[in-house]
């Protein structure tokens, strides 16, 4: 039996049907990813399941005593609370039962035998059963255990925590309840890469039924066992993760297109038939006319796929070949070093992703590259003829009181994109804003709509350097994919900060990553390529450390043996290499030179970056081979050194 079922649900805001005779169910242990366009009604459905809202119509069935917990996009806390108290707030009902049980127990001790005593005893038995069912006797231990599992300090003040850590507190407050159904709205917001990976592992290990909204495609692929799409009021179910959904969705849209074309063609034929002359009308079939009326009705009711955003960026004049050159740059805030002796060159056409944990200094590094911040040490040489368009993750560039039209084109009804004038109403329409909303204030927009407006404002200005600081927040998946296509085809330079792993993989040709302690390093390729190279570097370092420990132990043993036999030795003879080892030693310099030449060739291909746009798989293969050569070179050099020392 399903944990939760909603049948024939209807929900509308104004003339827009968010749920149009929709059906949905959630089974025990399922992890359902809910996707759809911004404004489609995803959050509304989540609130209906959470019993925070009700549909206009429809039948809802829930398992008896079902425990459901909802975690909103932006959880609210009393900032003066400790983390322990904030998490314990999830057990408010259980603690209230326990308080009442204690109060009844005290009353019962003072109450003489009689009807009142019997009533108190009955109430006490009821409360005991409720406390047993809720496992409320050890609520304090449950809170402490949950804090330990999630890695939180119970004594810390909530107000002192970062957005990512507050997200963890919200999840802990939900999980301490041990719910049957967990509802999450954009759970990856404010989390960095490590936080997202932690959350993936946590949710995959949970037994609760899970329904969550996210636009993070990599997160959907890792966590979801089923995708449900809210599309034009209907809930469409696709087994499997996001990649499986993409395949099935493409097939479905093609079938829908063919069926619609057939229906439109038949309708056109019937319209011609009914408009024929008097002679034809004498032979009209009552059934055929009824069918025509029904076809007209179906065509009117058909809700076509919502249009996609039309993205086009105003291309500025070409910048100089070098966009920025940094030499031994250091930047500090007080005693903390954010950038430590970083050297790099950003070339025209580079598409660079900046990755690292929250607070590592990604935005600081960006502003230093652009010359907006002066380093404490080192030099920054900014290139010539730079036209920078900046996308701010905090949307600070938006005046909430201004209208949409004034935000895009203040004082004018026209915008100019690549030399062509376009009316501001038409331009806003490209970003899915209806003409009647053009005069609405920015403050009336949702988070996703504000991001779309900021993109519209950004792309309306000529630029040859795009700086995008968390542009993917609140954007739906179709808009994300279109933004990816635009950035891939863009001729200028792109500097991108994002926690969307799929977005980074699809757009950037290199990654500048935080290595901790203010150290930054550039890697060729996208997010996955960086992970592969970083993991291999860590593995090689670990292996080198182990080898060093072994060598030290061997040296100690050798020294001890040498001391024991020193008295009986007057001379030391050289150790001869075998014939096979001699041949190996002679071949190693040529082998090392060949590996270095191959790595140099691959490096040149990867630095160009075009290989990723031309053939992403080949780009990944070359990146993996580049890293593998590092390991082969290390082994060859160590072997050469060993044989050469023995020969001598």
């Amino acid at each position: 039996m399903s944990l939760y079922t909603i049948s024939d649900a209807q929900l509308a805001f104004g003339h827009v049907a968010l749920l149009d005779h929709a059906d949905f169910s959630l089974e025990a242990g399922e992890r359902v990813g809910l996707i759809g366009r911004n404004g489609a009604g995803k959050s509304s459905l989540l609130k209906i399941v959470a019993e925070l809202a009700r549909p206009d119509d429809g039948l809802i069935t829930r398992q008896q005593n079902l425990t459901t917990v909802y975690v909103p996009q932006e959880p609210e806390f009393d900032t003066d609370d400790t983390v322990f108290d904030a998490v314990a707030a999830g057990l408010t009902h259980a603690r209230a039962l326990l308080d009442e049980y204690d109060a009844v127990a005290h009353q019962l001790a003072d109450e003489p035998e009689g009807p009142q005593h019997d009533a108190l005893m009955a109430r006490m038995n009821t409360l005991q059963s409720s406390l047993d069912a809720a496992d409320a006797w050890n609520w304090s231990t449950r809170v402490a255990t949950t804090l330990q599992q999630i890695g939180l300090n119970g004594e810390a003040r909530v107000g002192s925590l970062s957005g990512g850590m507050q997200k963890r507190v919200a999840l802990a407050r939900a999980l301490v309840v041990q719910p049957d159904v967990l509802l999450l709205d954009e759970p990856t917001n404010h989390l960095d890469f490590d936080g997202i990976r932690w959350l993936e592992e946590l949710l995959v290990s949970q037994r609760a039924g899970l329904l969550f909204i996210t636009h993070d495609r990599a997160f959907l692929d890792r966590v979801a066992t089923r995708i449900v799409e809210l599309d034009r009021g209907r809930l469409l179910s696709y087994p499997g993760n996001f990649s499986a959904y993409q395949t099935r969705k493409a097939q479905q849209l093609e079938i829908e297109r063919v069926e619609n074309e057939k229906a439109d063609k038949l309708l056109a034929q019937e319209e011609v038939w009914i408009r024929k002359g008097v002679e034809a009308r004498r032979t009209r079939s009552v059934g055929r006319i009824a069918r025509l009326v029904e076809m007209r009705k179906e065509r009117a009711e058909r809700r076509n796929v919502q249009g996609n955003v039309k993205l086009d960026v105003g291309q500025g004049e070409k910048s100089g070949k070098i966009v920025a050159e940094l030499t031994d740059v250091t930047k500090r805030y007080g005693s903390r070093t954010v950038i430590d002796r970083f050297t790099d060159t950003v070339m025209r056409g580079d598409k660079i992703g900046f990755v690292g944990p929250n607070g590592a200094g990604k935005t600081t590094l960006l502003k230093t590259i652009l010359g907006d911040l002066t380093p404490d040490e080192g030099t920054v040489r900014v290139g010539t003829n730079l036209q920078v368009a900046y996308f701010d993750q905090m949307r600070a560039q938006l005046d909430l009181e201004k209208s949409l039209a004034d935000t895009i084109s203040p004082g004018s009804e026209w915008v100019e994109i690549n030399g062509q004038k376009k009316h501001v109403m038409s331009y806003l329409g490209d970003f899915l804003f209806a003409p009647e909303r053009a005069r609405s204030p920015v403050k009336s927009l949702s988070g996703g709509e504000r991001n779309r407006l900021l993109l519209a404002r950004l792309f309306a200005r000529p630029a040859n350097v795009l700086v995008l600081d968390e542009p993917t927040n609140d954007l739906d998946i179709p808009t994300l994919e279109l933004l990816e296509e635009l950035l891939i085809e863009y001729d200028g330079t792109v500097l991108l900060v994002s926690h969307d792993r799929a977005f980074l993989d699809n757009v950037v040709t290199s990654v500048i990553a935080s290595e901790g302690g203010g150290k930054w390093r550039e890697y060729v390729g996208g997010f996955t390529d960086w992970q592969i190279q970083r993991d291999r570097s860590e593995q090689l370092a670990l292996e080198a450390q182990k080898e060093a420990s072994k060598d030290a132990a061997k040296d100690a043993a050798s020294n001890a043996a040498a001391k024991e036999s020193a008295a009986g030795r007057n001379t030391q003879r050289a150790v001869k290499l075998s014939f096979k080892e001699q041949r190996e030693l002679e071949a190693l310099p040529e082998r090392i030179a060949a590996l270095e030449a191959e790595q140099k060739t691959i490096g040149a291909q990867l630095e160009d970056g075009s290989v990723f746009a031309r053939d992403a798989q080949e780009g990944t293969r070359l990146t993996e081979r580049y890293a593998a050569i590092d390991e082969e070179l290390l082994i060859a050099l160590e072997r050469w050194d060993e044989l050469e020392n023995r020969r001598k």
Side-chain angles (χ1 to χ4, degrees):
M1 180 183 173
S2 299
L3 296 175
Y4 180 95
T5 303
I6 184 168
S7 306
D8 203 31
Q10 297 182 66
L11 179 69
F13 283 107
H15 65 284
V16 179
L18 299 180
L19 297 177
D20 188 1
H21 300 281
D23 300 319
F24 171 73
S25 66
L26 181 67
E27 305 293 328
E30 263 198 316
R31 299 189 297 272
V32 178
L34 180 60
I35 64 173
R37 300 300 297 260
N38 287 335
K42 302 185 297 297
S43 293
S44 297
L45 176 62
L46 213 62
K47 288 177 181 177
I48 288 172
V49 179
E51 295 191 299
L52 299 174
R54 291 197 60 81
D56 299 332
D57 198 6
L59 176 65
I60 294 175
T61 307
R62 297 165 54 91
Q63 271 194 12
Q64 193 173 7
N65 300 321
L66 187 74
T67 304
T68 302
V69 178
Y70 167 68
V71 181
Q73 281 192 47
E74 303 295 339
E76 294 182 359
F77 299 100
D78 184 335
T79 54
D80 291 330
D81 275 352
T82 64
V83 170
F84 185 94
D85 289 338
V87 173
L91 297 173
T92 300
H93 176 66
R95 292 165 68 185
L97 288 174
L98 198 57
D99 289 344
E100 187 181 354
Y101 180 86
D102 290 340
V104 171
H106 280 102
Q107 284 182 269
L108 196 60
D110 299 332
E111 187 68 34
E113 294 285 342
Q116 183 64 22
H117 183 278
D118 294 342
L120 287 170
M121 181 63 74
R123 179 56 183 160
M124 192 171 183
N125 290 335
T126 301
L127 286 169
Q128 185 166 351
S129 298
S130 299
L131 287 164
D132 288 339
D135 189 23
W137 299 104
N138 299 313
W139 68 267
S140 181
T141 304
R142 276 170 63 180
V143 173
T145 302
T146 304
L147 290 176
Q148 186 178 12
Q149 288 173 341
I150 293 184
L152 290 168
N153 176 10
E155 296 178 1
R157 295 284 170 188
V158 174
S160 69
L161 302 180
S162 66
M165 293 306 290
Q166 286 192 13
K167 198 77 169 185
R168 290 193 182 211
V169 174
L171 287 163
R173 185 170 62 184
L175 293 173
V176 76
V177 180
Q178 299 172 351
D180 302 306
V181 175
L182 182 60
L183 307 170
L184 305 177
D185 196 348
E186 295 289 0
T188 62
N189 277 8
H190 306 301
L191 295 182
D192 54 28
F193 296 122
D194 290 336
I196 291 170
R197 278 194 293 268
W198 163 83
L199 181 59
E200 287 173 350
E201 297 298 328
L202 179 73
L203 295 180
V204 167
S205 66
Q206 289 295 310
R207 295 181 181 178
L210 175 65
L211 176 62
F212 64 99
I213 297 170
T214 186
H215 298 137
D216 187 324
R217 292 157 291 177
F219 188 83
L220 282 165
D221 259 348
R222 177 74 178 88
V223 175
T225 58
R226 179 162 64 103
I227 301 293
V228 170
E229 182 183 21
L230 181 50
D231 181 21
R232 293 163 283 170
R234 300 296 176 93
L235 290 165
L236 309 172
S237 181
Y238 301 86
N241 62 10
F242 184 74
S243 296
Y245 151 80
Q246 284 182 303
T247 303
R248 291 186 175 92
K249 181 64 177 179
Q251 295 168 347
Q252 178 199 321
L253 287 175
E254 180 59 21
I255 292 169
E256 184 177 322
R257 183 188 66 79
V258 171
E259 288 178 348
N260 285 344
E261 284 181 357
K262 286 180 181 177
D264 290 345
K265 185 177 180 181
L266 182 58
L267 176 59
Q269 290 171 347
E270 294 299 284
E271 293 286 5
V272 169
W273 169 79
I274 203 166
R275 287 176 173 79
K276 282 184 179 178
V278 175
E279 179 131 358
R281 286 200 295 273
R282 287 177 187 160
T283 60
R284 280 181 185 166
S285 159
V286 174
R288 191 170 178 182
I289 293 172
R291 186 180 68 170
L292 174 59
V293 171
E294 184 64 26
M295 286 171 67
R296 284 173 174 170
K297 181 181 176 185
E298 286 177 3
R299 180 65 183 84
E301 289 181 350
R302 187 198 305 160
R303 299 175 66 190
N304 293 320
V305 179
Q306 184 182 4
N308 263 334
V309 176
K310 297 175 185 175
L311 297 179
D312 190 16
V313 63
Q315 298 277 0
E317 296 178 11
K318 279 192 175 182
S319 67
K321 189 173 181 181
I322 293 178
V323 173
E325 191 173 40
L326 289 79
T327 307
D328 290 336
V329 167
T330 297
K331 182 69 180 176
R332 301 183 186 90
Y333 288 107
S335 60
R336 180 175 171 239
T337 302
V338 180
I339 307 169
D340 186 11
R341 298 183 63 82
F342 180 63
T343 298
D344 195 44
T345 302
V346 179
M347 306 296 289
R348 182 178 65 220
D350 281 352
K351 295 180 174 65
I352 302 175
F354 294 78
V355 301
N358 290 334
K362 298 185 291 292
T363 303
T364 299
L365 180 55
L366 258 181
K367 291 182 176 179
T368 304
I369 289 172
L370 295 171
D372 294 340
L373 284 178
T374 303
D376 299 323
E377 296 171 18
T379 58
V380 177
R381 184 165 68 91
V382 179
T384 58
N385 195 32
L386 297 188
Q387 295 174 284
V388 180
Y390 201 106
F391 182 99
D392 177 16
Q393 65 165 319
M394 303 309 291
R395 308 189 193 98
Q397 300 168 33
L398 294 178
D399 184 337
L400 299 182
E401 300 302 325
K402 274 190 177 180
S403 69
L404 276 62
D406 284 341
T407 299
I408 297 301
S409 183
S412 173
E413 293 190 349
W414 300 90
V415 293
E416 189 170 318
I417 308 292
N418 295 327
Q420 294 186 339
K421 278 194 171 184
K422 197 167 195 177
H423 196 277
V424 68
M425 296 291 188
S426 175
Y427 184 69
L428 283 168
D430 289 345
F431 288 80
L432 303 183
F433 293 111
E436 57 268 22
R437 299 193 68 186
R439 302 302 173 194
S440 301
V442 173
K443 64 184 178 184
S444 69
L445 302 181
S446 67
E449 287 173 327
R450 290 184 192 183
N451 259 19
R452 260 195 278 137
L453 182 66
L454 195 52
L455 285 173
R457 185 176 183 273
L458 181 79
F459 294 156
R461 288 152 174 73
N464 51 35
V465 178
L466 289 181
V467 182
L468 307 173
D469 196 350
E470 295 290 0
T472 61
N473 287 352
D474 300 321
L475 292 183
D476 55 42
I477 290 170
T479 306
L480 277 178
E481 290 171 344
L482 282 167
L483 181 56
E484 285 174 354
E485 290 176 19
L486 175 92
L487 295 177
I488 289 167
E489 295 170 4
Y490 180 58
D491 290 334
T493 305
V494 177
L495 305 177
L496 170 65
V497 175
S498 178
H499 289 136
D500 188 319
R501 295 159 290 177
F503 192 80
L504 283 166
D505 266 341
N506 293 338
V507 172
V508 306
T509 54
S510 68
V511 165
I512 294 178
S514 168
E515 309 268 272
K519 297 291 186 184
W520 297 83
R521 180 180 169 189
E522 186 166 11
Y523 295 81
V524 175
F527 178 84
T528 303
D529 303 307
W530 162 63
Q531 278 193 311
I532 291 168
Q533 294 174 71
R534 182 198 60 178
D535 292 347
R536 283 190 173 167
S537 295
E538 290 176 354
Q539 185 179 354
L540 286 172
L542 187 62
E543 288 173 359
Q545 189 177 358
K546 287 180 181 177
E547 287 298 320
S549 300
K550 287 179 183 177
D551 290 344
K554 285 179 182 177
D555 288 344
S558 297
N559 289 337
K563 286 178 183 178
E564 288 176 9
S565 60
R569 279 193 214 157
N570 295 322
T571 60
Q572 185 177 13
R573 290 177 294 174
V575 178
K576 289 185 178 180
L577 298 177
S578 68
F579 178 80
K580 184 179 178 182
E581 288 174 329
Q582 186 64 38
R583 298 284 78 79
E584 183 185 359
L585 178 60
E586 291 170 0
L588 274 170
E590 187 178 342
R591 165 73 174 152
I592 290 167
L595 285 170
E596 288 175 339
E598 183 187 359
Q599 192 175 52
K600 186 176 180 181
T601 303
I602 292 174
Q605 289 178 269
L606 293 174
E607 283 174 14
D608 174 62
S610 60
V611 65
F612 291 93
R614 189 171 61 251
D615 187 344
Q617 287 186 341
E618 176 65 7
T620 301
R621 187 193 71 78
L622 288 174
T623 303
E624 291 175 356
R625 178 58 189 154
Y626 189 93
I629 291 172
D630 274 338
E631 191 171 350
E632 291 178 30
L633 272 172
L634 182 62
I635 293 168
L637 287 165
E638 286 177 347
R639 181 60 173 164
W640 178 83
D641 186 54
E642 177 193 349
L643 292 174
E644 187 66 23
N645 286 334
R646 284 176 58 195
R647 185 180 66 82
K648 292 177 180 178

